[in-house]
Structure formats: structure tokens, C-alpha cells
Amino acid sequence: MLAILLLALAGVAGPRRAAAQIHLATGVIVHPSPSIGSTQVGPLLSLAVSSNSTRFPLFLEGSVARTDFTSLGQDYHHNCYLLALGAAWFPTGGATRVGVRLGMGAVGEYEIVEIDSSPGGDNWISAVVPGLVLERDLGGRMRLVMGLTDYVLGPLNAIVDPDEYGIGHRILIAAGVRLRLGALAAQD
């Protein structure tokens, strides 16, 4: 519902045609984990909707990922849920273009112990979401998109109480296809 509202507002506020786009990507999540002595890496699936009706295209993105690790002789995995809302800027044009993204988001992580079916360690934390994007037109309404995104976890907590909280990172490396769905509105 929020995505539809944002896309509608973008169509009203923007001076050009509003085209809805959907982006499906796969990749990996990199979770630096000094507490367990290693960096966790796992598979990622991402789905985003966006609108290019404003000067800075708006996006709403949701991702799921999983990492596995062993600690104290027990097998664990983290189920990660990542949400971001923001805008992108592409200073270059043409068939291949490079851009930057900035958004606000949240990350939910649920830790599962393999020998015990009960979940534990669940929490949600706010995030600032910067990223780099490389896009290449494939023809028609399709575009190849590769991205590097850093979910910077807990920046507000780290500013308000730096003795208690630190900043964490969840790095997403993904590649996928963006499909243009068509014009939502036309404005001259």
C-alpha cells in the first residue's frame, strides 16, 4: 500500500512521465561478525518497485537473506529481512549508467539453532542505506542492474549513546533485471 502511495505521489510531483518499474535480483549478503570470529556470507533475494517520475527516482525495496555459522559446537543460521525506502541519482546517461542510492530502512534478524526448532535472537534495527548502482539497457523494457548496498545499522543509537551502541553493517551484492511496467501518468 505504501509503495502505491509513493508511486502515485511521485507521478503527481514529477515533471515527466511516471513509469513504474519492478526489479528482481539475487546475490549475497555479507555480515561482518567479530563476535563469532568470522564474516558470514549467504544467499539473498531482493524485490523492489520504483518510479522514475521525479528527478531522483524513488524506490521501495525488500530483501530476504540467510547466513549459516557454527558457534560453540552448535549450528546456527540467521534469517535476515531488509527493507529500504529512498531515492537514486544517476549523473551519467546512456545505455550504461552509474548511480548512487540513499535511503532509510530497517533490518530484522532471526537467529535459529539447528538442533532446536525454536527461534531466538530476534530484533529489528533502523538503518541508513547508501549504495552504488550500475545499469545497462538490454533492449525493450529490460535493464540489467548490479548493485552494492550497505545497510548501516543503528546510526541513531550510536549517536545518542555511543558507549552502549555501535554501528553494524550488512552488505548486499546483487545483480538482477529491472522491468519497466508502463506509464502511470503523463504530465507536460
Side-chain angles (χ1 to χ4, degrees), residues 152-173:
V152 182
L153 304 179
L156 183 60
N157 292 342
I159 291 169
V160 172
D161 191 0
D163 294 333
E164 182 72 26
Y165 298 100
I167 290 179
H169 298 273
R170 301 299 180 267
I171 300 165
L172 281 57
I173 303 166

Side-chain angles (χ1 to χ4, degrees), residues 24-106:
L24 180 62
T26 61
V28 295
I29 185 171
V30 179
H31 175 182
S33 300
S35 62
I36 63 168
S38 68
T39 296
Q40 302 171 37
V41 177
L44 165 83
L45 180 62
S46 179
L47 176 66
V49 293
S50 63
S51 172
N52 65 351
S53 66
T54 62
R55 182 177 174 106
F56 301 104
L58 300 174
F59 68 88
L60 176 62
E61 182 175 61
S63 303
V64 294
R66 176 181 163 155
T67 59
D68 296 304
F69 64 97
T70 301
S71 178
L72 302 173
Q74 292 187 348
D75 293 327
Y76 292 83
H77 70 260
H78 275 121
N79 290 332
C80 300
Y81 307 95
L82 305 106
L83 302 171
L85 172 65
W89 178 57
F90 292 91
T92 62
T96 301
R97 62 186 191 160
V98 177
V100 293
R101 296 179 359 151
L102 183 61
M104 297 297 294

Side-chain angles (χ1 to χ4, degrees), residues 91-186:
T92 62
T96 301
R97 62 186 191 160
V98 177
V100 293
R101 296 179 359 151
L102 183 61
M104 297 297 294
V107 175
E109 293 183 343
Y110 296 86
E111 189 174 273
I112 307 293
V113 180
E114 290 296 328
I115 59 171
D116 183 4
S117 62
S118 62
D122 58 332
N123 66 0
W124 282 88
I125 190 164
S126 62
V128 174
V129 188
L132 296 172
V133 181
L134 174 65
E135 295 188 352
R136 173 76 179 157
D137 282 335
L138 297 176
R141 295 176 175 254
M142 283 201 302
R143 185 174 284 210
L144 174 67
V145 180
M146 293 179 282
L148 174 65
T149 305
D150 184 3
Y151 277 74
V152 182
L153 304 179
L156 183 60
N157 292 342
I159 291 169
V160 172
D161 191 0
D163 294 333
E164 182 72 26
Y165 298 100
I167 290 179
H169 298 273
R170 301 299 180 267
I171 300 165
L172 281 57
I173 303 166
V177 175
R178 179 173 293 146
L179 302 170
R180 186 172 172 189
L181 300 178
L184 296 175

